[in-house]
Amino acid sequence: MEHINNARGGLDRRSLLAGIGAAGLIGATGLPGGALAKAPQLGGTIPGWYRFRIGEIEATIISDGLLNLGSATAQFPDAPADDVTAIMRAEFLPVEPMMLEQNCMILNINERVVLLDSGMGADPMFGDGAGRLLANIAAAGITPDQVDDIVLTHAHPDHCWGLVDANDGLVFGNAQIHMSQGDFDFWTDEGKLSAEGFIPAFVAGARRNLLPYRDRIHFVEDGKEVLTGITAIATPGHSVGHTSYVINSGDHSFLNVGDVCHHYALLFQNPEWEFAFDSDPAQAAQTRLKLFDMAATDGLPMIGYHFPFPALGNIRRAGSAYEYIPIPITHG
Ligand SMILES: [Zn+2]
């Protein structure tokens, strides 16, 4: 380790890098004691759930894992590729693959267990890193049959394809579903099975997951309470009936933005950018600007479905755009 200390007794970057180069970063056999790697590497990753409170509500973020969305420049097609690349580099992220996390949320509220969005299920459309919801619900000490209500932001694969299992059985056998009629009608429309692009696959999956629950689907309305403490806000654009939700308990409020914003860096700095999977990209950008303005003005903390786990943060104005400030986790 002597190469790490320079003549002034502190760390010197050049000698540190030279030392790494000489010893090799992995399996640095020159390190004293040779104590590294005596145990086998374990694999696996984070436990995948995080519990916190919103007033009297017990909230648990449940990770459904990661989506591989390919190239960031391809996903923001109207954005200058150099700008996308610069931001990703500044955040120490690769431009490709752009990995988006999926953060479902369970609320224990007023003696009901409410799940917001159901994850991707087992479908490998966006890689093999998704579909972790059920394992992480179990790890969090909750069972699917305890879920009384499922509140959906919209009917895209990563938000509603976890509703049925491989045999088309109901994963959440006791749950009522709450979602917008706009998204239900659009994404279960048989006529779109012959449309262009990604639409037919999305429609087929939505039909497979939503139609078995049809007799227990309830439509939410803009500005109306869906369940005690959960109010719908129509935030169209990413999908026709995309809905965000404000969660209230006493003096505490939290905004579940859903997919109004997919990326914590790219879209806070450039909220007007269009996203490849938006149904109406221009409307999605206007909705994003409105919701960001509301959250910043009201000091409303938020959960973003695709933000880094546990995906809880605040929003701050930065010039004509915004910044995302993660909320530190608590232990309790
Ligand atoms: Zn999504």
Side-chain angles (χ1 to χ4, degrees):
M1 295 290 276
E2 67 278 1
H3 48 258
I4 290 178
N5 293 303
N6 65 15
R8 296 183 301 278
L11 286 174
D12 175 271
R13 182 173 175 274
R14 192 179 306 165
S15 59
L16 175 59
L17 291 175
I20 289 171
L25 187 58
I26 306 296
T29 53
L31 291 174
L36 294 182
K38 274 191 173 175
Q41 297 182 353
L42 297 175
T45 181
I46 55 173
W49 62 271
Y50 172 68
R51 199 162 277 142
F52 67 109
R53 296 195 76 81
I54 304 170
E56 296 298 310
I57 301 170
E58 184 176 76
T60 308
I61 304 295
I62 309 279
S63 174
D64 188 47
L66 290 164
L67 301 177
N68 182 337
L69 288 200
S71 162
T73 53
Q75 294 300 339
F76 296 93
D78 73 323
D82 288 351
D83 291 357
V84 173
T85 301
I87 293 172
M88 295 300 268
R89 287 202 175 136
E91 296 293 320
F92 302 95
L93 296 172
V95 174
E96 184 172 5
M98 181 173 73
M99 306 298 291
L100 291 186
E101 299 192 31
Q102 303 180 87
N103 295 281
C104 305
M105 180 159 70
I106 288 182
L107 303 175
N108 190 322
I109 174 171
N110 229 22
E111 300 186 343
R112 293 185 83 83
V113 175
V114 183
L115 169 67
L116 283 99
D117 287 338
S118 78
M120 183 79 205
D123 195 285
M125 177 181 278
F126 297 109
D128 61 5
R132 306 287 201 266
L133 179 80
L134 293 180
N136 285 328
I137 282 182
I142 301 165
T143 58
D145 62 2
Q146 289 178 318
V147 174
D148 299 298
D149 299 278
I150 299 173
V151 178
L152 299 177
T153 57
H154 62 304
H156 277 177
D158 49 320
H159 299 261
C160 79
W161 284 16
L163 292 177
V164 299
D165 61 24
N167 302 314
D168 292 341
L170 305 190
V171 172
F172 302 96
N174 297 320
Q176 304 290 311
I177 309 275
H178 308 265
M179 65 182 297
S180 72
Q181 181 161 14
D183 252 46
F184 178 84
D185 289 348
F186 187 97
W187 294 108
T188 61
D189 176 9
E190 203 172 5
K192 294 190 178 68
L193 289 170
S194 53
E196 297 287 311
F198 65 86
I199 300 279
F202 278 31
V203 168
R207 289 172 59 82
R208 187 174 156 251
N209 280 274
L210 290 171
L211 295 184
Y213 289 86
R214 181 61 192 96
D215 61 351
R216 41 171 121 168
I217 292 180
H218 311 271
F219 295 129
V220 304
E221 288 181 50
D222 182 31
K224 298 254 173 76
E225 207 168 49
V226 179
L227 296 161
T228 302
I230 304 176
T231 301
I233 307 177
T235 46
H238 177 56
S239 66
V240 288
H242 187 282
T243 307
S244 302
Y245 297 94
V246 176
I247 299 152
N248 288 303
S249 175
D251 295 337
H252 300 269
S253 296
F254 233 90
L255 172 64
N256 186 310
V257 301
D259 276 13
V260 167
C261 178
H262 286 80
H263 200 281
Y264 75 94
L266 296 171
L267 286 177
F268 278 84
Q269 293 181 41
N270 298 278
E272 76 284 4
W273 280 358
E274 299 176 354
F275 182 62
F277 287 104
D278 289 342
S279 284
D280 183 337
Q283 185 187 38
Q286 287 308 309
T287 290
R288 189 177 307 116
L289 285 161
K290 264 197 254 175
L291 202 69
F292 280 3
D293 179 64
M294 182 188 95
T297 301
D298 296 348
L300 200 52
M302 58 173 63
I303 167 173
Y305 188 75
H306 292 298
F307 297 170
F309 179 83
L312 308 173
N314 282 288
I315 183 170
R316 179 161 73 196
R317 292 185 206 280
S320 60
Y322 296 90
E323 275 179 312
Y324 172 71
I325 316 296
I327 295 174
I329 63 166
T330 58
H331 298 267

